[in-house]
Amino acid sequence: MLDYCVIKGEIGAAIKAGRAVVALESTVISHGLPYPANIEAAKAMEATVRANGAVPATIAILDGRIRIGLEAEDFERLAAGGIRKVSRRDLPLVLAAGGDGATTVAATMIAARLAGISVFATGGIGGVHRGAETTLDISADLEELARTDVAVVCAGAKAILDLPKTLEYLETRGVPVVGYGTDNFPAFYTAQCNLPVDSRCDSADDVARILRAKWQLGLSGGAIIAVPIPEEAALDAEAIEQAIRLAVAEAEGQGVRGKELTPFLLSRLEQLTEGASLVANRALLLNNAAVAAQIAVAYATLRRETTLPRRPPGKRALY
């Protein structure tokens, strides 16, 4: 790990001291939101994490190194365009080439686990794409959730996906889906859909106890903490579904697939909703960051108060 990972001093000190740290991804900067909203949202997420008692750790690959924690100029660099979207399969390719990359949910989970960070906030996870029965387009995020011990706080899966199939896949792979203040799975731009979660929690302490039980039992893999978008920012469910269907049809017609599909669909949704999806996206990102920080604080407190051993950071990390 020494050759490939650099942990910012403040973050490394917090990890060593067993304090709360929240991982944040970088694809929201390079592929998720347009400029300058991308940089503004990423910095606002960091500020929200701090305001709720935890240390933010935005993760990216720069110059062939996994960077756990970024500087101000790094955000501009990631927002400049031409940055590769990096998931699990891409990590060795980009690192060996000394390149730059924006980390997806899967890659951010891997990096967080290497650093010893247990909680990660994002917008929405990837999942089973609509039409996957013929395309086999299933996000690597789901497999990462089944194998990497990081809790992912999100507004459910991105609404452009097939949500019932995504939940079925998660069940098969043994990933708990916990509704935070909800009995039903959030649908990203809307507060919920008619799909039940595995369990409901109404406090960060409740979530922390679930995470402790899971990992003390040696049950590898993460958990989804599904947080509904704030009610005042939610979009009309029927209208957004119509926009998604149109965007999906356009993507099929233009042959857009693979890594390019999600950025294409999100961009088209912003156009079709006249910017309303962008406003909603920012609201749920900040809400998720706040909840993730509260969970990270509760989990760090629980570790100090019990005999649960702290999982060490990856070997030979730079602090």
Side-chain angles (χ1 to χ4, degrees), residues 51 78 100 135 245 267 317:
L78 289 164
D100 297 340
T135 65
R245 289 182 183 276
S267 177

Side-chain angles (χ1 to χ4, degrees), residues 25 27 32 85 105 122-128 130 141 155-163 166 185-189 244 262 266 281:
E25 64 163 290
T27 51
K85 190 176 180 182
V105 168
T122 185
I125 62 166
V128 179
R130 302 182 186 207
D141 294 352
K158 294 181 177 68
I160 56 177
L161 303 169
D162 187 321
L163 299 185
T166 296
F185 193 59
F188 199 70
Y189 296 119
I244 290 169
T262 297
L266 293 177
N281 203 340

Side-chain angles (χ1 to χ4, degrees), residues 67-310:
R67 295 276 296 278
I68 312 292
L70 304 180
E71 304 297 340
E73 59 269 21
D74 298 328
F75 288 93
E76 294 288 345
R77 182 172 169 181
L78 289 164
I83 301 294
R84 181 168 179 166
K85 190 176 180 182
V86 175
S87 190
R88 168 177 278 268
R89 71 171 183 181
D90 310 291
L91 277 170
L93 309 179
V94 176
L95 294 175
D100 297 340
T103 53
T104 63
V105 168
T108 305
M109 288 181 71
I110 292 168
R113 180 66 183 90
L114 287 172
I117 301 171
S118 299
V119 181
F120 162 36
T122 185
I125 62 166
V128 179
H129 277 270
R130 302 182 186 207
E133 59 272 16
T134 56
T135 65
L136 299 181
D137 193 348
I138 300 173
S139 172
D141 294 352
L142 302 187
E143 282 300 306
E144 208 59 53
L145 278 157
R147 66 171 59 149
T148 301
D149 298 358
V150 174
V152 179
V153 180
C154 60
K158 294 181 177 68
I160 56 177
L161 303 169
D162 187 321
L163 299 185
K165 286 187 176 66
T166 296
L167 286 173
E168 287 287 351
Y169 196 105
L170 289 167
E171 179 185 4
T172 299
R173 301 297 285 123
V175 179
V177 178
V178 177
Y180 195 81
T182 182
D183 296 306
N184 292 318
F185 193 59
F188 199 70
Y189 296 119
T190 55
Q192 62 182 23
C193 57
N194 294 321
L195 298 169
V197 294
D198 300 322
S199 179
R200 172 176 176 152
C201 287
D202 292 313
S203 73
D205 290 336
D206 290 342
V207 175
R209 284 191 286 270
I210 288 175
L211 299 179
R212 178 183 66 170
K214 184 180 194 301
W215 291 327
Q216 273 194 324
L217 288 169
L219 297 175
S220 61
I224 291 176
I225 315 304
V227 185
I229 184 174
E231 185 176 350
E232 65 275 11
L235 303 183
D236 179 76
E238 184 176 347
I240 194 65
E241 177 61 23
Q242 290 177 353
I244 290 169
R245 289 182 183 276
L246 178 57
V248 169
E250 291 177 357
E252 291 176 353
Q254 297 178 36
V256 181
R257 56 179 59 89
K259 287 185 179 182
E260 303 306 318
L261 181 58
T262 297
F264 174 88
L265 294 175
L266 293 177
S267 177
R268 281 299 289 137
L269 284 180
E270 182 192 347
Q271 297 166 0
L272 292 168
T273 62
E274 299 181 339
S277 66
L278 180 61
V279 175
N281 203 340
R282 183 185 187 279
L284 65 85
L285 283 167
L286 297 187
N287 190 49
N288 294 346
V291 172
Q294 294 160 18
I295 292 171
V297 169
Y299 186 62
T301 301
L302 191 61
R303 289 193 306 197
R304 287 195 297 269
E305 293 176 349
T306 66
T307 58
L308 177 65
R310 187 174 70 86

Side-chain angles (χ1 to χ4, degrees), residues 13-77:
I15 293 169
K16 283 183 174 180
R19 301 202 310 273
V21 180
V22 173
L24 302 169
E25 64 163 290
S26 48
T27 51
V28 68
I29 305 170
S30 298
H31 300 89
L33 299 173
Y35 183 88
N38 50 3
I39 294 179
E40 191 276 333
K43 291 183 176 180
M45 287 183 75
E46 288 202 341
T48 300
V49 169
R50 289 189 188 281
N52 284 273
V55 177
T58 303
I59 295 172
I61 300 173
L62 295 172
D63 301 318
R65 298 290 182 272
I66 298 173
R67 295 276 296 278
I68 312 292
L70 304 180
E71 304 297 340
E73 59 269 21
D74 298 328
F75 288 93
E76 294 288 345
R77 182 172 169 181

